[in-house]
Amino acid sequence: EAGVAQSPRYKIIEKRQSVAFWCNPISGHATLYWYQQILGQGPKLLIQFQNNGVVDDSQLPKDRFSAERLKGVDSTLKIQPAKLEDSAVYLCASSLGDVSNQPQHFGDGTRLSIL
Amino acid sequence: SQKIEQNSEALNIQEGKTATLTCNYTNYSPAYLQWYRQDPGRGPVFLLLIRENEKEKRKERLKVTFDTTLKQSLFHITASQPADSATYLCALPPDTGRRALTFGSGTRLQVHP
């Protein structure tokens, strides 16, 4: 089966600019996650979708980050305006259901650098 | 809130030896725990899930133990190979409310030929 697809792989922007990331999960996976991974740390959840509804966005900095999952398939994550501390890898993952004992399948992420 | 600790120092071992990585947690009693492997520039890949009533679980050269008394999971790779070099992450289910996993910071394993 095809894995989780993410684009772009790399992005360099200046602070205060905006950026968007795209994710296509594994076909049939109802749950989609966006994580932020700072160098040397584990992935930190930003937002979790179940189909096209938000399950958990408690750690999403809503003043600058937004995400949507239209039609319950693809998803986009946007940052506007970007800050220096947003430099990180943004990972998308998907799983069959919303129960956390199911394995999560990750894409290879987008590496964001803020100048 | 729950806290996960993995050794931040890299583990260096010789090929053929057994690598043992540790995941400790506090303020929590998870029903299960997951282990992932992450290569540089790649996303994490699921390896194993162990439940609280499964003291040990094996998959090929991998073995995971789960000690709910010590609040610790050990991840072993036997007959290690240079291709096993990667960062290994443990992840726990939510403590309250949230449904997504919480990941540790990972331990980097380097297997030398």
Side-chain angles (χ1 to χ4, degrees):
Chain A
E1 64 179 4
V4 175
Q6 288 190 248
S7 66
R9 287 284 280 133
Y10 306 93
K11 191 72 177 180
I12 302 174
I13 62 172
E14 295 184 349
K15 60 183 180 183
R16 290 187 291 274
Q17 286 188 325
S18 63
V19 64
F21 314 124
W22 173 81
C23 173
N24 182 238
I26 292 174
S27 177
H29 280 197
T31 307
L32 185 147
Y33 313 81
W34 282 102
Y35 290 89
Q36 180 192 61
Q37 186 172 26
I38 293 172
L39 189 63
Q41 299 182 19
K44 172 190 161 187
L45 180 74
L46 292 173
I47 189 167
Q48 176 184 347
F49 291 94
Q50 175 72 11
N51 295 310
N52 60 350
V54 176
V55 173
D56 183 356
D57 63 356
S58 58
Q59 298 184 95
L60 186 74
K62 298 181 186 65
D63 57 335
R64 298 184 301 105
F65 286 65
S66 65
E68 60 181 10
R69 190 183 184 196
L70 299 176
K71 301 180 181 178
V73 181
D74 293 6
S75 177
T76 55
L77 176 70
K78 296 179 182 178
I79 307 175
Q80 181 179 13
K83 291 185 175 181
L84 292 175
E85 61 259 35
D86 297 333
S87 293
V89 175
Y90 290 85
L91 294 164
C92 178
S94 68
S95 62
L96 270 175
D98 69 343
V99 182
S100 60
N101 64 359
Q102 295 183 350
Q104 293 186 19
H105 301 264
F106 285 82
D108 287 334
T110 297
R111 182 176 297 276
L112 176 65
S113 298
I114 311 295
L115 303 179
Chain B
S1 62
Q2 63 184 143
K3 185 176 179 182
I4 304 171
E5 292 181 352
Q6 293 187 259
N7 195 340
S8 58
E9 289 187 19
L11 177 63
N12 289 281
I13 64 168
Q14 287 298 122
E15 183 176 8
K17 301 294 185 182
T18 295
T20 299
L21 307 176
T22 304
C23 177
N24 295 301
Y25 57 91
T26 57
N27 300 330
Y28 187 42
S29 296
Y32 55 87
L33 185 148
Q34 297 188 22
W35 282 90
Y36 288 75
R37 167 182 173 145
Q38 187 171 26
D39 291 286
R42 306 297 299 273
V45 175
F46 171 78
L47 295 175
L48 283 167
L49 179 150
I50 184 166
R51 302 181 188 279
E52 61 180 341
N53 61 349
E54 297 174 314
K55 298 302 180 187
E56 179 181 300
K57 197 158 188 177
R58 294 175 183 262
K59 179 183 176 182
E60 297 173 350
R61 294 184 296 110
L62 308 181
K63 184 179 84 171
V64 173
T65 63
F66 193 7
D67 190 325
T68 56
T69 301
L70 293 179
K71 293 187 181 295
Q72 179 182 80
S73 176
L74 298 179
F75 178 86
H76 307 271
I77 305 176
T78 59
S80 60
Q81 304 166 1
D84 296 326
S85 298
T87 295
Y88 292 86
L89 303 159
C90 68
L92 271 64
D95 45 2
T96 57
R98 296 176 49 235
R99 303 185 198 182
L101 296 170
T102 299
F103 284 83
S105 57
T107 299
R108 190 166 66 88
L109 171 67
Q110 189 71 40
V111 181
H112 301 277

